[in-house]
Amino acid sequence: MLIVTLLMAAVIIVPLLLSGARRLVLRNGRPVWLRHLVLRTTTGGGNGAGAAVAELAAALNPNKRVEIEQRRTDQLIRHDSEAGAPPHAIVDLTAGRALIRSR
């Protein structure tokens, strides 16, 4: 049981603490040497704490897992208005007319 607790601490709590420390250093800008080190070594653009909390919630709630997978799928799928079946209505705004085809 102790090993499981230590593993959870290493996987969940440590990234939360590191993310909070990173945000604090970047927000305050002090110490300057640490701010420069953080900017050089991190890619930025994301909140590690938010991802860690979402994964923890997904482990406890199956609906959250489905939501996270749906977000990943939406990011990967290309959304084109030109893809798919041809439209049944054509609207030409320059000519001022609309053409509706029946099937």
Side-chain angles (χ1 to χ4, degrees):
M1 186 67 179
L2 180 65
I3 295 173
V4 172
T5 305
L6 291 175
L7 183 64
M8 284 184 63
V11 171
I12 297 169
I13 296 172
V14 171
L16 286 172
L17 292 175
L18 290 176
S19 176
R22 176 184 178 273
R23 290 176 64 199
L24 184 66
V25 167
L26 291 177
R27 181 178 297 158
N28 293 336
R30 294 190 185 116
V32 176
W33 65 270
L34 186 56
R35 182 177 184 272
H36 290 302
L37 180 68
V38 167
L39 288 174
R40 268 193 317 224
T41 58
T42 59
T43 58
N47 186 359
V53 170
E55 288 297 325
L56 177 63
L60 300 174
N61 185 358
N63 293 332
K64 187 67 172 179
R65 170 64 54 202
V66 172
E67 180 184 333
I68 290 172
E69 292 299 323
Q70 184 63 39
R71 284 186 195 162
R72 289 181 184 154
T73 303
D74 287 344
Q75 289 175 351
L76 294 176
I77 293 177
R78 185 175 170 179
H79 297 285
D80 290 336
S81 61
E82 300 295 324
H88 296 291
I90 299 173
V91 178
D92 186 6
L93 296 177
T94 57
R97 63 185 176 140
L99 173 65
I100 301 174
R101 298 183 193 152
S102 63
R103 292 188 121 199

